[in-house]
């Protein structure tokens, strides 16, 4: 009867958080939209308590804003906020790349190559969601191998702010130059060239800064 043990409360909270975060990032819940715990609890098949906890976490992470006794709503996409998040996440990716390159195994490199193949195919097909998933999968290999929990938590916290803008920009026909940079990154990692891998990682995040500057949000 082990399978019938109650689901831990934290898992319900995390489930609600992930579902609502992903819907905001995907644009299914638009900036400015008011969100209500009772409505989302019903839609997710949960009680209101884990949804309220998820809302609190999303407020802390900048995807929701709340005025007590008034409203909780999706934040607008603000260029300055995305720029700040990109600077922090980019720095964390440089840090984990520096730590991970000497530890990478052939299996890790194979995962990165496969992720980049999926990324390039998704970009060609105009599949924004799959492109972003594949991009995350590629960089997550380095995050995992580096083993820096603080860096991983920082990346997880701030990346959704960036993904909202990326998804909208690419969904509107914006270009993506990362596939070639990914190839260069993987080559540097395979050669064990830590400094080159860090430089290429910085270049990848510079392309994101260009994306923010090109977007009219403010």
């Amino acid at each position: 009867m082990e399978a019938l043990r109650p689901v831990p409360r934290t898992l319900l909270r995390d489930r609600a958080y992930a579902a609502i975060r992903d819907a905001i990032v995907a644009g299914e819940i638009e900036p400015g939209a008011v969100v209500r715990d009772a409505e989302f609890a019903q839609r997710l098949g949960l009680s209101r308590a884990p949804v309220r906890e998820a809302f609190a976490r999303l407020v802390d992470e900048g995807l929701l804003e709340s005025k007590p006794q008034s409203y909780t709503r999706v934040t607008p996409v603000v260029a300055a906020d995305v720029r700040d998040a990109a600077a922090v996440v980019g720095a964390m990716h440089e840090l984990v790349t520096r730590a991970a390159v000497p530890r990478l195994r052939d299996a890790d490199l194979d995962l990165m190559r496969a992720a980049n193949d999926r990324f390039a195919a998704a970009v060609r097909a105009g599949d924004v969601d799959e492109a972003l998933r594949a991009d995350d999968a590629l960089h997550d290999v380095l995050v995992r191998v580096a083993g820096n929990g603080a860096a991983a938590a920082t990346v997880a916290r701030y990346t959704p702010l960036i993904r909202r803008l990326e998804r909208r920009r690419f969904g509107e026909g914006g270009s993506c130059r990362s596939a070639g940079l990914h190839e260069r990154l993987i080559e540097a990692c395979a050669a064990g060239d830590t400094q080159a891998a860090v430089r290429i990682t910085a270049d990848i995040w510079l392309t994101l800064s260009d994306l923010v500057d090109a977007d009219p949000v403010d």
Side-chain angles (χ1 to χ4, degrees):
M1 303 295 287
E2 288 294 315
L4 297 180
R5 289 181 300 177
V7 176
R9 181 184 181 83
T10 54
L11 294 183
L12 296 178
R13 177 193 63 202
D14 292 346
R15 173 185 162 192
Y17 163 78
I20 299 167
R21 177 203 62 201
D22 291 349
I24 293 172
V25 171
E28 295 170 9
I29 311 173
E30 296 182 352
V34 173
V35 296
R36 298 176 176 84
D37 56 8
E39 175 188 351
F40 278 83
Q42 182 177 21
R43 290 171 62 179
L44 295 170
L46 300 172
S47 69
R48 294 172 68 175
V51 173
R52 284 196 296 266
E53 292 173 16
F55 280 2
R57 183 174 172 185
L58 289 162
V59 167
D60 185 53
E61 295 181 359
L63 290 175
L64 294 178
E65 57 186 3
S66 182
K67 183 178 181 180
Q69 309 303 317
S70 182
Y71 61 78
T72 300
R73 64 189 180 193
V74 179
T75 57
V77 180
V78 179
D81 293 343
V82 178
R83 197 176 289 113
D84 290 346
V88 171
V89 173
M92 291 301 98
H93 276 295
E94 290 180 43
L95 185 153
V96 300
T97 298
R98 183 173 289 107
V101 170
R103 306 176 187 176
L104 288 169
R105 299 181 178 181
D106 289 343
D108 299 316
L109 295 167
D110 287 343
L111 288 173
M112 294 175 71
R113 293 186 183 101
N116 197 38
D117 288 344
R118 295 196 305 274
F119 177 85
V123 170
R124 288 193 299 270
D127 188 340
V128 180
D129 291 328
E130 176 58 21
L132 294 181
R133 282 193 294 269
D135 185 71
D136 283 338
L138 188 153
H139 292 288
D140 282 350
V141 173
L142 296 169
V143 173
R144 171 180 55 78
V145 172
N148 186 321
T154 301
V155 169
R157 173 171 179 164
Y158 290 107
T159 295
L161 286 172
I162 303 165
R163 290 308 195 203
R164 275 208 296 175
L165 177 58
E166 285 184 294
R167 191 186 187 286
R168 188 177 78 181
R169 180 65 173 164
F170 296 143
E172 293 170 349
S175 62
C176 180
R177 295 175 289 169
S178 293
L181 287 172
H182 285 163
E183 291 177 4
R184 289 173 50 202
L185 173 61
I186 294 167
E187 289 172 1
C189 289
D193 190 340
T194 300
Q195 294 305 314
V198 171
R199 286 196 302 272
I200 296 163
T201 298
D203 287 344
I204 289 170
W205 288 91
L206 282 175
T207 65
L208 183 58
S209 297
D210 293 342
L211 178 70
V212 175
D213 292 337
D215 199 274
V217 297
D218 211 355

